Amino acid sequence: LIFSMYKKIYILFLFSAAFNHECPPLDTLTVNLNQNNWEIPYINSWDELEVVTWNVKTFPQSNYTVESVVEIISDLLPDIINFQEIGDLEIFEELANDIPAYTFIHTNYIEDGGLSGFDLGIAFREDCVSLNSHMTLFSSDGWEFAYRYPLKAELTWECGEAIIDFEIINVHYKCCDDGFNRRLQASNILKNYIHNQINSGLEENIIVAGDFNDEINDPQSSNSLWPLVDDPEYVN
């Protein structure tokens, strides 16, 4: 599970950018628990932006999946969650209804004529993050991205006097078989896109989060993420 960010690039499990302003907002939202089966650390800090990426593995796995995911999110309470491998959009929307403190968006590849049965989703806290726009990327590069076209959202995080506008891109790279070459080409496409966004002045802050099905510390010969991690603008 990987995060990355341009103009300053970070690849990590949890991204946190600190600001020194008074928070929380007056309309702070709460999440109500239906169960409490695990001790999961609380990570929310009102003067920071927390971003989580989560492959929920052919969601839902069982009749208890929604309740379990609600508990985990309620315990963590991050600002943004990126989901991969959503297998049932109706159940995913049930999850969204159970956590009204968050806004959920998702792809719908089958309805849009795509080949993937696993969708991507993004959830964000309504009391500190607002959605400006969202779309899928790289419609002509389905093979490279395993027909799971990246989900892009343009967001604004705000708490007190602290404001940051940024773009987040949720990805789920191909695994197995011919996955290495497809991931490598996807990394090159993504790198070129990010550089174009920055160099053209369209966006300064870009977070790429998701399941890359690879490790960032592999040698170049076996690292399909090399176009990204070898970029001098990255900070790991």
Side-chain angles (χ1 to χ4, degrees):
L1 299 180
I2 298 175
F3 284 108
S4 56
M5 184 174 181
Y6 273 81
K7 192 168 185 178
K8 308 170 185 68
I9 298 294
Y10 302 91
I11 296 183
L12 60 156
F13 180 71
L14 176 67
F15 173 75
S16 180
F19 301 88
N20 295 317
H21 296 280
E22 291 187 8
C23 287
L26 295 176
D27 58 346
T28 298
L29 299 172
T30 59
V31 178
N32 297 316
L33 282 173
N34 294 323
Q35 66 178 42
N36 190 19
N37 295 332
W38 307 290
E39 293 295 328
I40 299 173
Y42 175 75
I43 65 171
N44 178 261
S45 176
W46 283 108
D47 58 358
E48 297 180 345
L49 168 67
E50 301 94 15
V51 181
V52 168
T53 185
W54 188 358
N55 184 321
V56 285
K57 193 178 182 181
T58 61
F59 176 92
Q61 285 279 298
S62 74
N63 292 333
Y64 306 103
T65 297
V66 170
E67 290 80 3
S68 299
V69 172
V70 169
E71 177 182 348
I72 292 168
I73 293 173
S74 302
D75 286 345
L76 292 172
L77 286 180
D79 295 315
I80 300 171
I81 310 159
N82 297 270
F83 297 97
Q84 302 85 43
E85 211 161 297
I86 302 166
D88 189 321
L89 287 176
E90 288 187 5
I91 303 299
F92 188 71
E93 289 171 358
E94 288 181 16
L95 170 67
N97 291 332
D98 286 346
I99 314 180
Y102 285 79
T103 294
F104 285 67
I105 60 173
H106 59 76
T107 60
N108 193 334
Y109 298 129
I110 297 300
E111 185 176 281
D112 293 339
L115 299 178
S116 175
F118 291 128
D119 283 280
L120 299 171
I122 300 174
F124 54 89
R125 292 182 61 109
E126 292 186 356
D127 48 12
C128 61
V129 180
S130 57
L131 176 68
N132 302 313
S133 67
H134 67 94
M135 63 181 294
T136 56
L137 298 174
F138 315 128
S139 59
S140 61
D141 301 306
W143 184 84
E144 292 84 351
F145 287 94
Y147 301 96
R148 300 186 285 250
Y149 301 99
L151 175 59
K152 181 185 89 167
E154 295 184 353
L155 302 166
T156 299
W157 176 88
E158 183 174 4
C159 196
E161 296 179 1
I163 300 176
I164 181 170
D165 295 312
F166 59 98
E167 177 180 315
I168 193 161
I169 303 171
N170 186 0
V171 302
H172 186 186
Y173 276 20
K174 180 71 173 69
C175 75
C176 318
D177 304 323
D178 59 350
F180 178 84
N181 289 329
R182 294 167 80 171
R183 292 194 302 273
L184 181 62
Q185 292 189 47
S187 293
N188 276 310
I189 293 167
L190 190 56
K191 175 183 177 178
N192 291 336
Y193 169 83
I194 292 170
H195 276 273
N196 180 69
Q197 289 290 93
I198 294 170
N199 294 334
S200 63
L202 294 174
E203 187 58 72
E204 181 176 349
N205 301 303
I206 300 177
I207 301 171
V208 181
D211 184 352
F212 288 77
N213 275 305
D214 209 339
E215 299 288 341
I216 63 173
N217 54 359
D218 287 339
Q220 180 177 0
S221 60
S222 58
N223 192 336
S224 63
L225 306 178
W226 195 259
L228 299 170
V229 299
D230 190 50
D231 192 310
E233 293 192 76
Y234 262 98
V235 178
N236 296 340

